[in-house]
Amino acid sequence: MLEHGVGMKFVQMWLGHSDYATTANIYAHPDDWEAKNRAVKVMSEIMKEHDVTDCLKDEWK
């Protein structure tokens, strides 16, 4: 849920945790999710700019 943009506070309430830290410590490391999402977006843009998808098609034949 967190990786799809659902807020930590909502996840806490949905799971019934009385303490925000419990949810945060068990289910997420927000910096990691944000960094991974940014990396995927940047890599996708680089691949589009350099038309890497056409090169990859030849590799999989």
Side-chain angles (χ1 to χ4, degrees):
M1 289 174 51
L2 295 168
E3 73 179 275
H4 294 287
V6 176
M8 182 72 71
K9 188 68 177 174
F10 178 81
V11 174
Q12 172 201 353
M13 292 180 341
W14 188 72
L15 292 172
H17 294 157
S18 60
D19 184 29
Y20 180 92
T22 300
T23 308
N25 290 334
I26 295 172
Y27 293 100
H29 302 281
D31 293 336
D32 292 342
W33 287 115
E34 291 172 18
K36 288 176 186 176
N37 286 332
R38 280 193 306 269
V40 167
K41 288 177 184 176
V42 168
M43 199 61 181
S44 294
E45 290 301 315
I46 291 170
M47 291 177 74
K48 286 178 190 174
E49 287 175 17
H50 297 282
D51 203 16
V52 175
T53 54
D54 286 340
C55 297
L56 293 175
K57 288 177 188 173
D58 293 336
E59 293 291 323
W60 293 101
K61 289 182 180 177

